[in-house]
Amino acid sequence: MTENKNNITRRRFLRESVWGTLLGGLGAILGFVTRRSRASDTVWQIDPETCVACGNCATYCVLEESAVKCVHAYAMCGYCTICFGFFGPEPANINTGAENQLCPTGAIIRTFVEDPYYEYTIDEKLCNGCGKCVKGCNTFGNGSLFLQVRHDRCLNCNECSIAAACPSGAYKRVPADKPYLLKGMDHA
Ligand code: SF4
Ligand code: SF4
Ligand code: SF4
């Protein structure tokens, strides 16, 4: 078991490192674009503590494919065998059959790590930002899945149409050089 936990810890460390590097890269690109094309030095972002995963993020974006995607805070995840963000209510079987999955687009990849741990990864190309997995994880799990505006996609509209439709006031403007509000991390 000690060996298992060490492996999990190493995986988490690697994931967090990759995540931090990815966001840093996107932040740098965004900073460049923002400086070049807009007077504003703020961008839209979702406060994951306030979002109620209502579904509007999938349908109210001006883009045909929403700029909002699900992301995963691996440090908060329980690596559960039965993930309530992955499996629909009362699945017929605990396997990756499409009929057992909650995600309507099959965007969550379930990978066996070591008994009894499974890792859940979001394929952002498939994610439509519907938030179904977020609601499941928040209601019955650790809340490690959450929604974020992806700044490689977002147009940074003056009036974000999702923000106008958001029932919980979760959209806010944040500094362009700190464009993500990540769960389990210091946002200051
Ligand atoms: S359930 Fe919705 S928000 Fe979650 S990964 Fe699938 S498409 Fe994205
Ligand atoms: S600012 Fe515009 S592009 Fe970005 S999430 Fe809102 S509606 Fe979509
Ligand atoms: S519209 Fe607001 S409450 Fe609904 S999923 Fe988007 S951020 Fe969350």
Side-chain angles (χ1 to χ4, degrees), residues 57-154:
C57 274
T59 53
Y60 276 83
C61 183
V62 295
L63 297 172
E64 190 172 341
E65 179 190 334
S66 178
V68 175
K69 302 287 181 180
C70 177
V71 298
H72 196 182
Y74 290 93
M76 294 174 64
C77 183
Y79 290 74
C80 311
T81 301
I82 300 177
C83 168
F84 293 98
F86 182 86
F87 290 105
E90 302 180 16
N93 293 291
I94 304 303
N95 61 39
T96 55
E99 69 280 8
N100 302 318
Q101 296 187 31
L102 180 63
C103 177
T105 64
I108 306 178
I109 300 160
R110 181 178 190 254
T111 308
F112 176 70
V113 180
E114 282 172 341
D115 190 31
Y117 301 112
Y118 286 79
E119 184 177 77
Y120 299 89
T121 308
I122 309 299
D123 182 347
E124 288 197 12
K125 294 188 300 302
L126 297 179
C127 175
N128 64 14
C130 74
K132 290 180 189 289
C133 61
V134 174
K135 186 166 274 187
C137 184
N138 272 336
T139 305
F140 300 110
N142 290 6
S144 57
L145 296 168
F146 59 105
L147 296 174
Q148 289 282 277
V149 176
R150 282 310 220 169
H151 296 297
D152 55 336
R153 299 187 43 74
C154 178

